[in-house]
Each structure stands twice: as structure tokens, then as C-alpha cells.
Amino acid sequence: MTQSIADQSLRTPRTLQTGHVGLNVTDLGKSLPFYLRVFGLEVMAEGDEDGRRWAFLARDGRLVLTLWQQSDAAFSTSSAGLHHLSFQVDTMEDVEATRAVLLELGADFAHDGVVAHGEGAGSGGIFFADPDGIRLEIYAPTGAEDAPAPAGSAPTCGFF
């Protein structure tokens, strides 16, 4: 029996947005300062009892990320699951300011400088890894028109 699109819409939420993202980390002591500094987040709540270390990170009072210290190895790109986590900022100046912070922290970048999301795209940003190798992106919707597109016409964010 096939459902019509109208029938399906009665059973799905009217609105949908990401609530927060939870990340497993190996060392909360390394990851927490990284996320606070790079993304300007603040600790909403934190716990450390019976070997259960975690932190809820917020921006403007809204929960954005949760960090769970329950991994014993770095992020693996060869396993199914998270490909990368992307954050949009307003301007390319915001991207560049974040890049400066990441350079100070010695972060690993996938590309040198700002890159476009694809050939001819106006959107673009920076691609880097957190202390556990989790792939991250910060981009602006405009301002990357003259930046290189490392994957050609394929989406840059899919191949780093």
C-alpha cells in the first residue's frame, strides 16, 4: 500500500531543525577548551561522576553541542556515521577570524586558507579537525567567489 504525500505530511513534524549535536571525545580536558575558544561557546552544564565526564555547550543560551568523554580512539573516517560537522557564520571576515584562532591552536586544516564549496560557488570556508580528528567546517554563504575549489565541481565539503 502506497501512502500519498498528503497522508505522509500528516504524520511528520511541521517544522524540523537540528536541536544539538553530541560528539564522543577521548579527553574532555582537551576538547572542551578547543570548542569554547574556536566557536565562542559557553558551558551550560558539566558533569564528572563515576567516570562519566560530559559538557553541554551553548551559544546565546541555546544548547549547540554536547561532548561525551567515552571514546578510546580518534575519529575514524572509514566508519559509517558522522562525515563532518558544519557551522555557518555571517561573513567571510568571521571565517577568517576563526581561522586565525585555529592557527594559534595549531589545528590541522584540510586546505590552505578559504576554499569555495565548488567551482563558481559564492559560499565557502575552512575545513579542519578537532583534537580527536573530528572533521569540522566553518563557512559563509557568500564571499568565496574568487577562492579555489579543491574538488572542482564536486562539493568540497564532501571530499576532505
Side-chain angles (χ1 to χ4, degrees), residues 111-125:
H111 309 289
D112 291 331
V114 171
V115 295
H117 278 137
E119 288 176 352
S123 64

Side-chain angles (χ1 to χ4, degrees), residues 9 15 21 31 37 48 72 79 91 94 102 112 116 124 153 156 158:
S9 68
T15 62
V21 174
S31 295
R37 177 116 188 265
D48 184 5
D72 58 10
S79 298
T91 66
D94 293 333
L102 289 162
D112 291 331
S153 62
T156 301

Side-chain angles (χ1 to χ4, degrees), residues 67-151:
L67 301 178
W68 308 95
Q69 183 176 302
Q70 55 188 17
S71 294
D72 58 10
F75 179 75
S76 172
T77 59
S78 64
S79 298
L82 179 73
H83 181 276
H84 74 285
L85 180 57
S86 175
F87 293 91
Q88 180 179 325
V89 296
D90 290 333
T91 66
M92 203 51 68
E93 288 79 19
D94 293 333
V95 172
E96 290 290 358
T98 304
R99 182 173 176 268
V101 170
L102 289 162
L103 286 168
E104 287 176 22
L105 294 173
D108 290 327
F109 290 87
H111 309 289
D112 291 331
V114 171
V115 295
H117 278 137
E119 288 176 352
S123 64
I126 54 175
F127 299 85
F128 58 97
D130 84 346
D132 283 307
I134 297 172
R135 297 185 296 191
L136 302 167
E137 169 189 7
I138 294 180
Y139 78 95
T142 60
E145 292 82 0
D146 296 325

